[in-house]
Amino acid sequence: MKKKHLAMLLSKLEGFRNPKPWLEQYRTPGNVAAELLWLAYSLGDLRGKTVADLGAGTGVLSIGAALLGVEKVYAVEIDPEALALARKNAESLGLDNIEFLLEDVSEFSGRVGVVIMNPPFGSQVKHADRPFLLKAFEVSDVVYSIHLSKPEVRDFIEAFTRDNGFKITHHLTLPFEIPAQFDFHRKRLERIMVDVYRFERVGNGKAEAD
């Protein structure tokens, strides 16, 4: 499968039917998901690995990872409606290597080879991404995550990563499209910029990228 085909497939998955603003439920765009997953795939972080998708939503990242040859994905999601859609999306593609877990990310206790996630940006609840990062750093040595591309967020990410014994090895900046879906949205389509990070535990063995 090529990256562009992966992006197209993920873009066609069913999105949130009743998105909840307090959970910041925005569908991960297919192109952004594909960029994150393709980076992980190219670095050998997916094939044959066990993966956790923290805050899986409707399963875009989980399904993409499953399609790229992971051994198993744990799709962790607190919203039962979103998780049901994730399961439906996976079944539509005949995937059987995803385990759907209805729980808060703080309750996930498995140890995995890699974490992939698109956590809340903190637009509704300040620092909403911190519990996701803390859990990711707890359960894996390699983490891929999506965050707002703003100087203050970058400063926080760099400090938080360092303080928790991780380093940033790769960093991509991408456009992220959000369709109007809540009352407070003023534009039909909002385009923001996000940063896709690869974090690795310090001393884990791979050289840091420039």
Side-chain angles (χ1 to χ4, degrees), residues 49-62:
K49 302 293 181 68
T50 301
V51 174
D53 179 3
L54 303 182
T58 58
V60 175
L61 289 175
S62 292

PDB file of all heavy atoms in Angstrom, residues 49-62:
ATOM      1  N   LYS A  49       4.646  -5.151  15.459  1.00  0.00           N
ATOM      2  CA  LYS A  49       4.665  -4.563  16.797  1.00  0.00           C
ATOM      3  C   LYS A  49       3.267  -4.547  17.422  1.00  0.00           C
ATOM      4  O   LYS A  49       2.258  -4.627  16.739  1.00  0.00           O
ATOM      5  CB  LYS A  49       5.198  -3.124  16.739  1.00  0.00           C
ATOM      6  CG  LYS A  49       6.604  -2.984  16.159  1.00  0.00           C
ATOM      7  CD  LYS A  49       7.644  -3.611  17.064  1.00  0.00           C
ATOM      8  CE  LYS A  49       9.053  -3.456  16.501  1.00  0.00           C
ATOM      9  NZ  LYS A  49       9.516  -2.062  16.499  1.00  0.00           N
ATOM     10  N   THR A  50       3.251  -4.414  18.748  1.00  0.00           N
ATOM     11  CA  THR A  50       2.012  -4.193  19.479  1.00  0.00           C
ATOM     12  C   THR A  50       1.875  -2.694  19.724  1.00  0.00           C
ATOM     13  O   THR A  50       2.818  -2.045  20.184  1.00  0.00           O
ATOM     14  CB  THR A  50       2.017  -4.945  20.816  1.00  0.00           C
ATOM     15  OG1 THR A  50       2.191  -6.345  20.565  1.00  0.00           O
ATOM     16  CG2 THR A  50       0.705  -4.743  21.558  1.00  0.00           C
ATOM     17  N   VAL A  51       0.709  -2.153  19.411  1.00  0.00           N
ATOM     18  CA  VAL A  51       0.508  -0.704  19.383  1.00  0.00           C
ATOM     19  C   VAL A  51      -0.681  -0.319  20.256  1.00  0.00           C
ATOM     20  O   VAL A  51      -1.667  -1.054  20.338  1.00  0.00           O
ATOM     21  CB  VAL A  51       0.256  -0.232  17.931  1.00  0.00           C
ATOM     22  CG1 VAL A  51      -0.111   1.245  17.881  1.00  0.00           C
ATOM     23  CG2 VAL A  51       1.482  -0.509  17.065  1.00  0.00           C
ATOM     24  N   ALA A  52      -0.593   0.835  20.904  1.00  0.00           N
ATOM     25  CA  ALA A  52      -1.746   1.417  21.596  1.00  0.00           C
ATOM     26  C   ALA A  52      -2.101   2.741  20.942  1.00  0.00           C
ATOM     27  O   ALA A  52      -1.229   3.571  20.691  1.00  0.00           O
ATOM     28  CB  ALA A  52      -1.440   1.630  23.078  1.00  0.00           C
ATOM     29  N   ASP A  53      -3.380   2.908  20.646  1.00  0.00           N
ATOM     30  CA  ASP A  53      -3.914   4.173  20.133  1.00  0.00           C
ATOM     31  C   ASP A  53      -4.722   4.784  21.268  1.00  0.00           C
ATOM     32  O   ASP A  53      -5.830   4.339  21.564  1.00  0.00           O
ATOM     33  CB  ASP A  53      -4.786   3.909  18.904  1.00  0.00           C
ATOM     34  CG  ASP A  53      -5.407   5.168  18.316  1.00  0.00           C
ATOM     35  OD1 ASP A  53      -5.112   6.268  18.823  1.00  0.00           O
ATOM     36  OD2 ASP A  53      -6.188   5.037  17.345  1.00  0.00           O
ATOM     37  N   LEU A  54      -4.149   5.783  21.940  1.00  0.00           N
ATOM     38  CA  LEU A  54      -4.782   6.377  23.111  1.00  0.00           C
ATOM     39  C   LEU A  54      -5.729   7.494  22.680  1.00  0.00           C
ATOM     40  O   LEU A  54      -5.312   8.457  22.054  1.00  0.00           O
ATOM     41  CB  LEU A  54      -3.718   6.924  24.068  1.00  0.00           C
ATOM     42  CG  LEU A  54      -2.678   5.915  24.563  1.00  0.00           C
ATOM     43  CD1 LEU A  54      -1.713   6.588  25.531  1.00  0.00           C
ATOM     44  CD2 LEU A  54      -3.355   4.707  25.218  1.00  0.00           C
ATOM     45  N   GLY A  55      -7.001   7.355  23.040  1.00  0.00           N
ATOM     46  CA  GLY A  55      -8.014   8.279  22.547  1.00  0.00           C
ATOM     47  C   GLY A  55      -8.309   7.981  21.098  1.00  0.00           C
ATOM     48  O   GLY A  55      -8.193   8.848  20.227  1.00  0.00           O
ATOM     49  N   ALA A  56      -8.706   6.751  20.820  1.00  0.00           N
ATOM     50  CA  ALA A  56      -8.774   6.248  19.441  1.00  0.00           C
ATOM     51  C   ALA A  56      -9.881   6.879  18.610  1.00  0.00           C
ATOM     52  O   ALA A  56      -9.846   6.792  17.376  1.00  0.00           O
ATOM     53  CB  ALA A  56      -8.950   4.726  19.456  1.00  0.00           C
ATOM     54  N   GLY A  57     -10.866   7.493  19.239  1.00  0.00           N
ATOM     55  CA  GLY A  57     -11.955   8.089  18.468  1.00  0.00           C
ATOM     56  C   GLY A  57     -12.650   7.059  17.603  1.00  0.00           C
ATOM     57  O   GLY A  57     -13.017   5.975  18.073  1.00  0.00           O
ATOM     58  N   THR A  58     -12.834   7.370  16.325  1.00  0.00           N
ATOM     59  CA  THR A  58     -13.506   6.443  15.409  1.00  0.00           C
ATOM     60  C   THR A  58     -12.526   5.505  14.708  1.00  0.00           C
ATOM     61  O   THR A  58     -12.890   4.828  13.749  1.00  0.00           O
ATOM     62  CB  THR A  58     -14.332   7.213  14.367  1.00  0.00           C
ATOM     63  OG1 THR A  58     -13.479   8.104  13.645  1.00  0.00           O
ATOM     64  CG2 THR A  58     -15.432   8.012  15.041  1.00  0.00           C
ATOM     65  N   GLY A  59     -11.284   5.477  15.190  1.00  0.00           N
ATOM     66  CA  GLY A  59     -10.362   4.421  14.780  1.00  0.00           C
ATOM     67  C   GLY A  59      -9.445   4.710  13.616  1.00  0.00           C
ATOM     68  O   GLY A  59      -8.830   3.780  13.078  1.00  0.00           O
ATOM     69  N   VAL A  60      -9.290   5.957  13.226  1.00  0.00           N
ATOM     70  CA  VAL A  60      -8.476   6.267  12.042  1.00  0.00           C
ATOM     71  C   VAL A  60      -7.043   5.773  12.195  1.00  0.00           C
ATOM     72  O   VAL A  60      -6.517   5.057  11.333  1.00  0.00           O
ATOM     73  CB  VAL A  60      -8.499   7.779  11.744  1.00  0.00           C
ATOM     74  CG1 VAL A  60      -7.545   8.112  10.598  1.00  0.00           C
ATOM     75  CG2 VAL A  60      -9.910   8.230  11.392  1.00  0.00           C
ATOM     76  N   LEU A  61      -6.380   6.141  13.303  1.00  0.00           N
ATOM     77  CA  LEU A  61      -4.987   5.724  13.495  1.00  0.00           C
ATOM     78  C   LEU A  61      -4.888   4.224  13.750  1.00  0.00           C
ATOM     79  O   LEU A  61      -3.968   3.557  13.253  1.00  0.00           O
ATOM     80  CB  LEU A  61      -4.353   6.505  14.641  1.00  0.00           C
ATOM     81  CG  LEU A  61      -4.074   7.985  14.388  1.00  0.00           C
ATOM     82  CD1 LEU A  61      -3.559   8.665  15.651  1.00  0.00           C
ATOM     83  CD2 LEU A  61      -3.056   8.167  13.258  1.00  0.00           C
ATOM     84  N   SER A  62      -5.811   3.684  14.531  1.00  0.00           N
ATOM     85  CA  SER A  62      -5.797   2.240  14.813  1.00  0.00           C
ATOM     86  C   SER A  62      -5.907   1.433  13.528  1.00  0.00           C
ATOM     87  O   SER A  62      -5.155   0.470  13.303  1.00  0.00           O
ATOM     88  CB  SER A  62      -6.958   1.865  15.737  1.00  0.00           C
ATOM     89  OG  SER A  62      -6.801   2.397  17.026  1.00  0.00           O
TER      90      SER A  62
END
